[in-house]
Amino acid sequence: MTNSIEVLKRHYFFSDDDAVRLRELLPLAEQYQQQMVDEFYEYIQSQPETAAILARQTTRERMNHFHRLWFLGLFQGIYDEAYLHHVRRIGHAHVRVGLPVNFVNAAMHQVRHFMHQLIHETFPDRDQRRDYRESVDKILDMNLSVMTSSYRDEEMKKVFVSRRLESGLIQLAERFTYGLNLVLVLALAGVSTGVVGLFVSDIMDSFKGDVEKGILSALGAMLILWMMIELLDNEIKNLKGGSFNILVFIGVIIVAMVREILISTLRHDDQKTQAFLTITLLVLGIVYFLVSKAQKAKE
Ligand code: HEM
């Protein structure tokens, strides 16, 4: 936020000569105020975003009145604390009506263009034109600086509130989540060890006589182990800041179902159970397909 008008003037090398020159331009500004207000309004109407704000927030008469006053205020030659306060109020009015800051910049560009054109057509002397142009640029830029800082003020307010939260709650929550993820990695490592045990036991079974059952069960355990590796890998990536991949989890369930179907076949389960498992696998396959399609569309 700009603290005082004197600081603002210093930032822009705005001198008493600039103030005098702007005052000299007042008759010209008065003469062309209607054209400026009309062009300003036309510009706002030409952009769908600003036209929508206008339709929602105010009337043409009010807008023209405000813009005319502001425009003539540029050339009064008095730029004091009251003037700074007035420009700040304009900035806050725009934040309030939800006008994106880039439209303030763009509208100011239109005003600048209008004034440059007017000066160019009015004053034949090159040096005089340059001096007027420079003074106009300074006052427009000072206005812009104050108006846009209103948006920054709003941002700062938001950051201030969340910063206090961040320092306590958010940091704590982040650490807690990180801790939980670590526990999850450890748990996954434990379960993976269990799956290795299962794989070994299935292999042993095949030596004990039931070769077919042993091999099929071992195959199922291997599939699960493979998915456990994927899960662990995914979780480690997550811990390192990567994104969570839901597909891996669906894959794990699919593999578990495949294993269950293999075992169910060996157990000679009734047809109902086998049909149930097959349909579940089919549904999971469809879910997997849809999720992976959605993920690809996002990339
Ligand atoms: C150079 C840029 C602009 C200047 C200097 C300017 C000037 C002003 C002024 C002086 C006010 C009155 C503030 C008050 O005292 O309450 C105002 C309000 C407003 N301005 Fe702007 N404006 C600019 C750009 C725009 C643009 C691009 C829009 C687009 C929609 C816009 C929409 C509004 C609206 C909706 C209000 C509130 C009107 C009301 O209260 O009825 N302004 N503006």
Side-chain angles (χ1 to χ4, degrees):
M1 190 171 105
T2 312
N3 293 323
S4 78
I5 189 73
E6 288 314 319
V7 172
L8 188 65
K9 283 181 182 172
R10 177 163 55 77
H11 288 172
Y12 285 85
F13 295 119
F14 187 91
S15 64
D16 289 344
D17 287 345
D18 288 310
V20 171
R21 273 188 224 115
L22 288 168
R23 184 78 177 86
E24 285 168 5
L25 287 173
L26 182 62
L28 192 66
E30 282 173 340
Q31 194 184 339
Y32 286 94
Q33 55 176 297
Q34 191 56 46
Q35 193 183 332
M36 136 70 198
V37 164
D38 288 344
E39 284 188 19
F40 200 97
Y41 187 79
E42 256 174 51
Y43 171 72
I44 293 179
Q45 284 294 20
S46 72
Q47 309 297 315
E49 298 92 333
T50 45
I53 293 174
L54 208 65
R56 215 173 39 236
Q57 301 283 353
T58 190
T59 60
R60 178 174 189 161
E61 289 68 39
R62 266 177 78 88
M63 279 299 284
N64 287 357
H65 168 74
F66 284 140
H67 290 149
R68 188 190 305 276
L69 277 185
W70 168 77
F71 181 64
L72 294 177
L74 293 172
F75 306 100
Q76 296 302 317
I78 304 163
Y79 311 101
D80 51 12
E81 292 303 330
Y83 183 74
L84 180 63
H85 178 73
H86 166 66
V87 182
R88 268 199 208 121
R89 249 192 60 181
I90 302 173
H92 287 294
H94 290 146
V95 176
R96 206 175 49 241
V97 297
L99 176 69
V101 69
N102 55 309
F103 287 113
V104 179
N105 290 313
M108 200 62 89
H109 172 77
Q110 301 300 319
V111 179
R112 194 189 307 274
H113 179 72
F114 178 83
M115 280 312 295
H116 282 190
Q117 194 85 1
L118 204 56
I119 290 167
H120 185 79
E121 286 165 5
T122 311
F123 302 101
D125 184 73
R126 221 171 132 213
D127 290 341
Q128 196 185 20
R129 276 205 308 257
R130 194 200 54 228
D131 286 347
Y132 281 139
R133 249 197 339 260
E134 279 184 4
S135 300
V136 166
D137 280 349
K138 281 183 196 174
I139 195 68
L140 290 182
D141 285 336
M142 283 159 69
N143 266 262
L144 199 56
S145 166
V146 176
M147 282 188 212
T148 51
S149 71
S150 309
Y151 289 84
R152 261 201 320 276
D153 291 348
E154 285 300 308
E155 280 299 304
M156 289 297 282
K157 268 191 222 160
K158 276 186 216 156
V159 168
F160 182 54
V161 173
S162 63
R163 217 180 257 157
R164 290 174 90 184
L165 271 173
E166 258 175 43
S167 58
L169 274 173
I170 294 176
Q171 226 179 53
L172 198 75
E174 270 177 4
R175 280 192 192 166
F176 185 66
T177 317
Y178 189 78
L180 281 184
N181 271 314
L182 275 178
V183 172
L184 193 63
V185 169
L186 286 177
L188 282 172
V191 175
S192 304
T193 317
V195 178
V196 171
L198 187 71
F199 175 67
V200 173
S201 120
D202 285 340
I203 293 282
M204 300 295 267
D205 275 355
S206 65
F207 285 120
K208 280 182 195 157
D210 197 347
V211 181
E212 192 190 4
K213 182 174 179 261
I215 288 179
L216 282 180
S217 302
L219 198 66
M222 238 166 71
L223 279 175
I224 291 186
L225 191 61
W226 173 50
M227 285 318 291
M228 289 307 297
I229 294 166
E230 280 291 308
L231 261 181
L232 257 171
D233 197 41
N234 191 43
E235 196 47 38
I236 289 165
K237 273 189 197 144
N238 196 17
L239 271 178
K240 284 182 178 168
S243 59
F244 175 81
N245 190 1
I246 185 81
L247 218 54
V248 177
F249 285 83
I250 305 172
V252 170
I253 304 169
I254 289 179
V255 166
M257 284 310 294
V258 171
R259 182 178 185 273
E260 198 53 38
I261 288 172
L262 285 175
I263 293 170
S264 168
T265 321
L266 290 170
R267 273 199 310 253
H268 303 294
D269 284 347
D270 61 82
Q271 281 191 340
K272 247 188 184 168
T273 313
Q274 294 206 14
F276 171 75
L277 290 173
T278 314
I279 289 168
T280 312
L281 186 63
L282 187 72
V283 171
L284 283 169
I286 295 169
V287 172
Y288 189 93
F289 170 74
L290 291 175
V291 173
S292 71
K293 216 174 154 200
Q295 279 186 353
K296 271 192 200 124
K298 246 200 215 168
E299 285 165 11

